[in-house]
Amino acid sequence: MTTQVDFSSPRIAILGGGPGGYEAAMVAASLGAKVTIIERAGLGGSAVLTDVVPSKTLIATADLMTRVGEADELGVKFDGDGGGSKPRADLKHINNRVLDLARGQSHDIRAGLERLGVEIVIGSGKLLDNNTIEVLTLEGVRTIDADAILLAVGAHPRELPTAKPDGERILNWAQIYNLDELPEELIVVGSGVTGAEFASAYNGLGSKVTLISSRDQVLPGEDTDAAKLLEGVFERRGVRVLSRSRANAVERTDDGVKVTLGDGSVVTGSHCLVCVGSIPNTAGIGLEEAGVTLTESGHIKVDGVSRTTAPNIYAAGDCTGVFALASVAAMQGRIAVAHFMGDGVKPLKLNQVASNIFTSPEIASVGVSEADLASGKYQGDVVMLSLLSNARAKMRNTKDGFVKIIARKGSGTVIGGVVVGPNASELIFPISVAVTQKLHVDDVASAFTVYPSLTGSIWTVYIKLFVTAGWVVCG
């Protein structure tokens, strides 16, 4: 039997209130749909409550402490102790602020949804078929019928069977904010984005940090020059990096933890943070009954417009395994709603996604990478410029960073870039615009930039790409 959809006011049910869910809800409600969003924890999902917002708030505090610690080189002195006082992290205050900010952001998201007329149901949802969700709430069981369903159920921290978190000494990234005192010696297992960010943050806050990496470099899969630079910064700031070392087990001791490595050696510390990826929240929610196909990793299989294999069901966010970024989840959700509502929509293009790693310094990237060039997938010219030559960087006492831009060979179209340095998450945007809009190098190089500014280095790289290709600057 084919369900007839009333597109004048279609019913859309969204399971999950993270970025993929609430962004889709806002768009759908604005377009006149009757929207119900089902969330078991709080609006914003893990991105707002336990992941992105909390971690980046913590990192902002750590980054400030790092800059204050280097203020002496700028001539800034502190009263007391002969002018050599150092900042101290009050972790209880920091974590209270982190969680308060997360709750406040969640409240703001809920208020915004309610203003648009979105119905919010707090409870655990399960698909009965491709048009029906059963929700267990505090008041009882409720059934929600919909013309379309969006799954935005997110993911949770992956645990090792030999490293079970206890929430006190052995922690995952959702539990780390329960600490009231700064770990004296923090061992971080996992050198991907999450592990590197927390290692950088807690080093900045004053912990002695050991980072255990099973790979040859920190941030495997990221730009090699950026990873090498970060490893150099870690070494200079006292972070101990154990490369090609696999953690076999993490155990609690009388006064801390011990981590047993694959070669039998043992690393001891006061606390251990386990960052070994995430698992999609796709088990036990009726996906099989509704005809939704999963990948081998347990993620929901979707196409470029967020459709699953089941009619009327879309999916967005970490549960799809497409790209674990809040911005991508939000875009997937918006695309899903636009597609269902019959609006013109372009499929998600992963080669245009801008991402950022919030270490100190930050690492941002977009588009084609040098690894893509080396594999022969693309042909391009690459120019990299250190921030050491940038006047603004010198004024700020910035010692670490660079700008790298890739232009397609022959045409000069901007196809990729990397920025390493302070506020790289902001600086990547002009490169991201160039990649998305398929701008030529001369389109950007003929625009004005401010002097002195860090964006001046982006402009300089575009000029150098002219020289590399033998072009002439216009304008």
Side-chain angles (χ1 to χ4, degrees), residues 35-122:
V35 184
T36 302
I37 190 166
I38 302 130
E39 168 58 42
R40 62 185 177 185
L43 274 300
S46 62
V48 170
L49 295 170
T50 60
D51 188 3
V52 181
V53 170
S55 66
K56 278 47 177 181
T57 305
L58 178 79
I59 288 166
T61 302
D63 189 56
L64 177 61
M65 285 192 62
T66 299
R67 286 189 55 76
V68 170
E70 297 172 348
D72 184 69
E73 298 180 40
L74 298 174
V76 178
K77 306 297 180 182
F78 297 91
D79 293 334
D81 298 333
S85 296
K86 293 184 178 180
R88 177 183 62 85
D90 181 344
L91 195 64
K92 183 176 182 178
H93 182 107
I94 291 170
N95 281 340
N96 284 341
R97 177 177 179 268
V98 164
L99 297 177
D100 284 346
L101 194 151
R103 285 189 290 266
Q105 184 70 5
S106 177
H107 178 271
D108 290 345
I109 292 169
R110 177 166 188 150
L113 291 170
E114 290 175 338
R115 281 195 299 271
L116 289 170
V118 175
E119 181 184 12
I120 298 168
V121 179
I122 301 300

Side-chain angles (χ1 to χ4, degrees), residues 390 392 403 426-427 430 449-450 452-460:
N390 182 284
R392 180 71 169 175
V403 173
E426 315 292 343
L427 295 171
T449 188
V450 172
S453 69
L454 295 181
T455 56
S457 287
I458 297 175
W459 181 83
T460 302

Side-chain angles (χ1 to χ4, degrees), residues 56-303:
K56 278 47 177 181
T57 305
L58 178 79
I59 288 166
T61 302
D63 189 56
L64 177 61
M65 285 192 62
T66 299
R67 286 189 55 76
V68 170
E70 297 172 348
D72 184 69
E73 298 180 40
L74 298 174
V76 178
K77 306 297 180 182
F78 297 91
D79 293 334
D81 298 333
S85 296
K86 293 184 178 180
R88 177 183 62 85
D90 181 344
L91 195 64
K92 183 176 182 178
H93 182 107
I94 291 170
N95 281 340
N96 284 341
R97 177 177 179 268
V98 164
L99 297 177
D100 284 346
L101 194 151
R103 285 189 290 266
Q105 184 70 5
S106 177
H107 178 271
D108 290 345
I109 292 169
R110 177 166 188 150
L113 291 170
E114 290 175 338
R115 281 195 299 271
L116 289 170
V118 175
E119 181 184 12
I120 298 168
V121 179
I122 301 300
S124 298
K126 179 179 180 180
L127 295 177
L128 297 182
D129 54 41
N130 63 339
N131 288 107
T132 313
I133 300 177
E134 181 182 81
V135 186
L136 178 61
T137 72
L138 291 176
E139 293 76 29
V141 177
R142 177 179 170 184
T143 301
I144 296 173
D145 296 315
D147 301 308
I149 293 172
L150 173 65
L151 303 171
V153 293
H156 62 275
R158 178 171 173 258
E159 295 181 0
L160 300 175
T162 56
K164 289 290 186 181
D166 60 17
E168 296 177 351
R169 293 284 182 174
I170 304 173
L171 308 141
N172 61 37
W173 45 256
Q175 299 168 331
I176 192 86
Y177 310 105
N178 297 332
L179 297 178
D180 288 340
E181 295 184 0
L182 189 70
E184 183 178 347
E185 295 178 302
L186 178 65
I187 302 169
V188 179
V189 176
S191 63
V193 173
T194 303
E197 287 186 344
F198 277 111
S200 178
Y202 272 88
N203 171 251
L205 292 173
S207 293
K208 182 179 179 181
V209 177
T210 298
L211 180 60
I212 298 176
S213 171
S214 63
R215 308 290 286 274
D216 290 336
Q217 68 173 40
V218 171
L219 298 175
E222 299 295 332
D223 182 84
T224 301
D225 291 320
K228 287 181 179 178
L229 186 149
L230 182 63
E231 287 181 350
V233 172
F234 277 172
E235 181 179 0
R236 190 176 75 234
R237 293 178 178 171
V239 176
R240 179 188 180 198
V241 178
L242 301 181
S243 300
R244 296 180 295 279
S245 299
R246 185 174 296 276
N248 279 357
V250 182
E251 303 170 72
R252 186 163 176 170
T253 63
D254 291 339
D255 59 351
V257 296
K258 70 174 184 178
V259 180
T260 304
L261 303 181
D263 62 3
S265 61
V266 173
V267 181
T268 61
S270 62
H271 297 76
C272 181
L273 175 62
V274 182
C275 301
V276 289
S278 60
I279 296 175
N281 297 325
T282 54
I285 60 171
L287 298 184
E288 295 82 0
E289 292 84 343
V292 177
T293 300
L294 301 179
T295 66
E296 290 185 6
S297 61
H299 292 90
I300 298 172
K301 190 174 182 179
V302 295
D303 64 10

Side-chain angles (χ1 to χ4, degrees), residues 362-414:
E362 294 181 8
I363 300 170
S365 59
V366 65
V368 172
S369 67
E370 277 199 278
D372 292 329
L373 300 185
S375 70
K377 188 176 181 180
Y378 296 89
Q379 290 187 326
D381 295 310
V382 183
V383 170
M384 186 172 81
L385 179 67
S386 170
L387 290 183
L388 288 175
S389 62
N390 182 284
R392 180 71 169 175
K394 292 176 183 177
M395 296 170 192
R396 294 173 51 140
N397 198 34
T398 297
K399 301 182 178 69
D400 307 294
F402 64 79
V403 173
K404 177 190 294 184
I405 296 176
I406 302 172
R408 190 181 297 276
K409 189 174 291 291
S411 71
T413 304
V414 182

Side-chain angles (χ1 to χ4, degrees), residues 325 327-328 350 352-356 365-367 428-429 432:
L325 293 173
S327 57
V328 172
L350 295 180
Q352 296 178 355
V353 173
S355 62
N356 191 72
S365 59
V366 65
I428 197 66
F429 184 65
S432 179

